């Protein structure tokens, strides 16, 4: 008991020190986006392997296994949504399935899923506002998650997808899909949530309050320490790198803190460059923060939900998925063995 009290005291002091050393935008980001983008912890100087002939780079250049080589190539199209030009890929026929990426992904991350699912479904992968190759953001644009939800709602209407099977990863995809299911259930046939960072379900607002972190430390000390660790080793140094103009370094730090050291070490150069193409909307989301999502909101979602999690994903994302599994009325769950946050890759 004394040891636990000591750990709690040290953690609170550490948290206060972190908060006092960062500005409001960094504090906002402290627990904000461990699901928004793409990757890990122990940081090599360069992401992924340096050998151009490595297996990872070969897979990035030729991502489809032989078993998918006979499926149709997705076609790229554009649509106007809320005054912005958004890109999407589409293939197949049947009931529509809409795939929505995470923080530093775009429609390209779903190519393998599109090719396989298109044998039975009409599959659409969208590149959200500001994401490659959709219309670019201005450098000072701020995007809220509500903006993404509004865009997704209009995409479903414009492309005549309702009711749609909606698959969302991290944020904007996963968290945005939760909000859309809460606000527009009539648009959905089913929902697949791939580790949405809905941290308010854990009793932590964004930005967090000191008493909330203390309460989480008492209830779930391992989860609370995960938040503190991610803030100190992930978001805070990443934001500092972004502010001094070193976007590549900031993205490396963020991805390492999000995916874990092992997954990041196996990230190919091609995949990292894909993430760099989406650095502007990622930074805009960090500036904006997340809207609330309550226990009542989760219980109100009646459509069938499949929760997907990676065995090696971070403790904060596991905690959110565990909570959703208890709250959602019509839910199933699958855990992908040996996988981290980008388990579909």
């Amino acid at each position: 008991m004394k040891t636990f009290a000591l750990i709690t005291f040290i953690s609170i002091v550490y948290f206060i020190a972190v908060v006092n050393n960062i500005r409001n935008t960094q504090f906002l980001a402290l627990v904000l986006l461990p699901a928004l983008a793409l990757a890990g912890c122990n940081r090599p100087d360069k992401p992924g392997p340096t050998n151009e002939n490595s297996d990872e780079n070969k897979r990035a250049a030729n991502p489809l296994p032989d078993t998918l080589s006979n499926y149709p190539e997705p076609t790229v199209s554009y649509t106007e949504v809320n005054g912005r030009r958004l890109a999407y890929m589409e293939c197949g026929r049947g009931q529509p399935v809409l795939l929505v990426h995470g923080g530093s992904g775009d429609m390209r991350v779903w190519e393998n899923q599109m090719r396989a699912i298109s044998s039975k479904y009409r599959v659409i992968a969208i590149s959200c506002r500001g994401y490659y190759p959709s219309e670019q953001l201005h450098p000072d644009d701020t995007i809220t998650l509500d903006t993404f939800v509004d865009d997704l709602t209009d995409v479903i209407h414009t492309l005549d997808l309702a009711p749609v099977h909606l698959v969302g990863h991290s944020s904007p995809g996963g968290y945005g899909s939760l909000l859309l299911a809460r606000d527009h259930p009539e648009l959905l046939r089913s929902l697949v949530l791939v580790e949405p960072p809905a941290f308010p379900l854990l009793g932590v607002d964004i930005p967090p309050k000191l008493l909330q972190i203390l309460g989480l430390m008492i209830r779930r000390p391992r989860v609370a320490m995960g938040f503190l660790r991610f803030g100190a080793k992930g978001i805070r140094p990443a934001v500092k790198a972004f502010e001094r103009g070193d976007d590549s370094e900031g993205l490396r730090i963020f991805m390492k803190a999000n995916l874990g050291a092992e997954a990041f070490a196996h990230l190919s150069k091609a995949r990292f460059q894909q993430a760099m193409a989406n650095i502007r909307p990622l930074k805009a989301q960090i500036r904006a923060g997340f809207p609330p999502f309550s226990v009542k909101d989760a219980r109100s979602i009646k459509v069938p939900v499949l929760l997907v999690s990676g065995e090696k994903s971070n403790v904060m994302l596991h905690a959110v998925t565990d909570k959703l599994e208890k709250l959602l009325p019509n839910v199933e769950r699958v855990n992908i063995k040996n996988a981290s946050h980008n388990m579909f890759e």
Side-chain angles (χ1 to χ4, degrees):
M1 191 66 183
K2 290 181 179 179
T3 301
F4 176 75
L6 179 61
I7 292 173
T8 301
F9 175 76
I10 293 172
S11 300
I12 294 171
V13 172
Y14 176 66
F15 175 76
I16 295 171
V18 170
V19 171
N20 287 337
N21 282 332
I22 56 179
R23 298 205 299 256
N24 286 338
T25 54
Q26 293 170 318
F27 177 51
L28 178 68
L30 175 62
V31 294
L32 173 56
L33 293 171
L36 256 181
L38 295 160
C41 266
N42 270 351
R43 152 168 92 85
D45 291 337
K46 300 279 186 179
T50 58
N51 182 358
E52 295 297 336
N53 295 317
S54 68
D55 290 341
E56 287 80 4
N57 281 310
K58 287 178 181 177
R59 284 195 294 270
N62 302 284
L64 295 176
D66 292 339
T67 53
L68 299 181
S69 60
N70 294 326
Y71 286 108
E73 286 286 345
T75 59
V76 178
S77 304
Y78 292 84
T79 185
E80 192 82 11
V81 173
N82 294 323
R84 297 294 180 111
R85 191 168 181 254
L86 303 188
Y88 64 94
M89 297 195 302
E90 180 174 0
C91 60
R93 299 178 66 180
Q95 291 182 358
V97 178
L98 179 60
L99 308 174
V100 190
H101 57 81
S104 51
D106 55 53
M107 65 186 186
R108 294 172 292 176
V109 302
W110 301 109
E111 186 174 12
N112 289 347
Q113 284 72 35
M114 291 193 68
R115 299 284 290 277
I117 298 172
S118 66
S119 63
K120 295 183 179 180
Y121 297 89
R122 176 190 175 195
V123 190
I124 302 96
I126 190 79
S127 277
C128 294
R129 179 181 296 228
Y131 285 86
Y132 178 89
S134 296
E135 181 180 340
Q136 288 191 349
L137 299 179
H138 299 146
D140 57 348
D141 274 352
T142 296
I143 307 176
T144 68
L145 194 55
D146 289 329
T147 304
F148 288 118
V149 175
D150 290 342
D151 286 351
L152 277 180
T153 303
D154 279 8
V155 165
I156 292 171
H157 286 303
T158 301
L159 301 183
D160 193 23
L161 303 180
V164 67
H165 298 288
L166 181 58
V167 181
H169 174 235
S170 193
S171 182
Y175 204 159
S177 294
L178 265 176
L179 298 180
L180 190 145
R182 179 195 66 188
D183 298 339
H184 302 287
E186 73 283 358
L187 299 180
L188 301 182
R189 192 183 300 268
S190 71
L191 185 61
V192 179
L193 298 174
V194 187
E195 296 188 333
F199 299 126
L201 286 177
L202 304 179
V204 178
D205 291 334
I206 300 172
K209 299 177 177 64
L210 180 58
L211 288 179
Q212 291 174 340
I213 294 296
L214 175 59
L216 187 61
M217 184 64 68
I218 295 171
R219 298 189 313 272
R220 304 282 301 273
R222 187 164 170 263
V223 177
M225 289 302 295
F227 276 105
L228 296 173
R229 194 162 44 245
F230 186 82
K233 294 185 178 181
I235 284 293
R236 182 186 176 197
V239 171
K240 284 184 174 294
F242 292 148
E243 289 181 341
R244 66 175 181 264
D246 194 347
D247 286 349
S248 179
E249 177 67 6
L251 183 60
R252 275 192 201 97
I253 295 169
F254 179 81
M255 293 176 77
K256 287 184 303 178
N258 192 35
L259 264 194
E262 182 180 354
F264 185 76
H266 288 89
L267 194 74
S268 70
K269 286 183 177 180
R271 186 65 185 86
F272 185 81
Q273 289 306 314
Q274 186 183 103
M276 276 297 296
N278 297 308
I279 193 67
R280 191 172 288 179
L282 173 62
K283 293 194 296 183
Q285 288 176 83
I286 291 175
R287 290 194 299 267
F290 283 165
F293 187 80
S294 69
V295 167
K296 182 180 178 181
D297 291 334
R299 287 177 172 154
S300 73
I301 295 174
K302 307 300 183 184
V303 298
V305 179
L306 175 65
L307 299 173
V308 182
S309 57
E311 181 185 42
K312 296 183 178 181
S313 295
N314 70 53
V315 65
M316 299 171 294
L317 294 173
H318 279 174
V320 171
T321 304
D322 291 345
K323 189 77 171 180
L324 286 169
E325 187 176 15
K326 294 177 181 178
L327 295 173
L328 294 168
N330 188 358
V331 64
E332 295 182 29
R333 181 174 181 178
V334 60
N335 297 305
I336 309 300
K337 188 174 177 60
N338 294 322
S340 185
H341 187 47
N342 296 340
M343 72 292 293
F344 52 88
E345 297 188 48

